[in-house]
Amino acid sequence: QVAAASGHTVVLVDQSDEILKKSTKGIEESLKRVTKKKFADKPEAGAEFIEKTLKNLTTSTDAVAVVHSTDLVIEAIVENQEVKNELFKRLDKFAPEHTIFASNTSSLQITQLANSTTRQDRFGGLHFFNPVPMMKLVEVIKTPMTSQKTFESLMDFSKAVGKSPVSCKDTPGFIVNRLLVPYMLEAVRLFERGDASKEDIDVAMKLGAGYPMGPFELLDYVGLDTCKYIIDGWHKLEPNNPLFAPSPLLNKLVEEKKLGKKTGEGFYKYK
């Protein structure tokens, strides 16, 4: 959406036409919300903006066919190393030499993904934040193999879609999640020890640190399964790092399929 809205030609690829229809509809709804704010007193300009943006956007279920005429590929599929590697390996065979590959992963190593291709120098991380149309930040990740030219192209692209890029080396969680995930886990440990209630911890961080959500609200919003997946991966990488120690309570909730907002219950219950 943000790439199409800033004048780029975008092909959205997914597994089925059904998913793509749903995605396109979601983008349309999102654009309507954006135009309500952006063109509050100019409805005609707003309608034109939506039409123009949607013209820049086409869909396909065949990534290989599309990649032939692409300058930049941004992968945002399931957080699974093998599945991502498989996709990059396949696309690497068909993409033009100049094409840059980027992953939107938040927890996997970019270097490992780049190694599944022959274009390690044209590979980097572009980590956007949810919801992307609202959030200004993009983390641009440079591996030891990423060329300066590729890195600059990724920084320029981020600015061209109206974002504020920050750069980071290929370290677990990059900047935001590297600080945020251990913070959320530390809140769970505080609660597990019985030092404070989850409600009081949430209120304390909102009123004392000015955070829009408390750590337990945030965990439920992100998804407890996602948080567990991230911390398990990091724990495997650095088993002796106390910040990455798994949480028995988090594991228990995930086992009980209480994954947060999306399932109606996590640390809190949702209607």
Side-chain angles (χ1 to χ4, degrees):
Q1 181 187 320
V2 297
S6 51
H8 297 81
T9 306
V10 182
V11 186
L12 179 63
V13 180
D14 216 315
Q15 290 174 315
S16 72
D17 288 321
E18 201 182 328
I19 296 170
L20 288 165
K21 269 194 195 110
K22 207 175 156 190
S23 302
T24 311
K25 199 172 181 312
I27 288 171
E28 245 179 282
E29 293 303 316
S30 176
L31 284 168
K32 280 177 191 162
R33 286 195 295 276
V34 170
T35 49
K36 253 186 196 161
K37 281 184 188 168
K38 205 173 168 184
F39 302 97
D41 45 1
K42 291 183 265 181
E44 279 160 22
E48 197 184 318
F49 168 73
I50 292 176
E51 193 188 336
K52 223 167 158 182
T53 301
L54 292 173
K55 261 196 186 135
N56 288 335
L57 190 69
T58 50
T59 61
S60 172
T61 52
D62 187 352
V64 165
V66 168
V67 85
H68 285 290
S69 55
T70 307
D71 297 318
L72 173 64
V73 172
I74 303 177
E75 166 277 319
I77 64 171
V78 64
E79 281 289 83
N80 179 305
Q81 183 90 46
E82 280 162 32
V83 182
K84 286 185 193 287
N85 281 353
E86 196 47 55
L87 176 69
F88 280 126
K89 208 185 214 157
R90 202 165 84 236
L91 296 183
D92 188 42
K93 292 189 184 108
F94 298 96
E97 199 164 313
H98 74 275
T99 306
I100 293 173
F101 283 8
S103 176
N104 181 53
T105 183
S106 57
S107 62
L108 299 172
Q109 282 190 302
I110 302 293
T111 306
Q112 300 252 326
L113 297 172
N115 284 340
S116 65
T117 72
T118 57
R119 62 184 75 219
Q120 286 102 326
D121 58 325
R122 284 148 292 154
F123 203 114
L126 271 184
H127 183 221
F128 288 81
F129 287 79
N130 257 333
V132 178
M134 309 298 294
M135 300 290 271
K136 293 294 282 183
L137 186 68
V138 177
E139 290 176 324
V140 179
I141 313 307
K142 191 177 191 232
T143 79
M145 296 99 71
T146 308
S147 72
Q148 189 59 23
K149 189 182 169 197
T150 297
F151 173 69
E152 281 165 17
S153 298
L154 292 173
M155 291 292 277
D156 290 344
F157 172 76
S158 304
K159 289 173 192 164
V161 297
K163 301 298 173 200
S164 300
V166 294
S167 75
C168 182
K169 287 182 181 172
D170 191 15
T171 180
F174 315 135
I175 298 173
V176 175
N177 282 337
R178 180 63 176 78
L179 297 174
L180 202 55
V181 175
Y183 148 74
M184 292 193 291
L185 263 284
E186 198 52 30
V188 177
R189 293 183 194 113
L190 191 68
F191 173 56
E192 276 175 320
R193 291 194 300 269
D195 293 341
S197 71
K198 53 183 189 285
E199 291 82 3
D200 281 357
I201 295 169
D202 276 353
V203 169
M205 291 314 290
K206 283 192 287 192
L207 302 185
Y211 288 7
M213 282 182 185
F216 293 97
E217 292 169 321
L218 189 57
L219 279 156
D220 279 355
Y221 177 75
V222 170
L224 305 193
D225 51 339
T226 306
C227 296
K228 175 177 156 51
Y229 178 81
I230 294 170
I231 212 74
D232 287 353
W234 294 357
H235 182 60
K236 223 177 185 171
L237 276 177
E238 297 182 31
N240 299 323
N241 189 332
L243 289 174
F244 300 162
S247 149
L249 178 57
L250 183 67
N251 291 348
K252 180 175 174 281
L253 289 168
V254 171
E255 217 170 281
E256 291 168 356
K257 301 273 187 285
K258 293 174 181 168
L259 309 180
K261 258 188 155 164
K262 59 185 170 189
T263 58
E265 187 176 352
F267 284 101
Y268 297 115
K269 284 185 177 162
Y270 303 87
K271 276 186 182 139

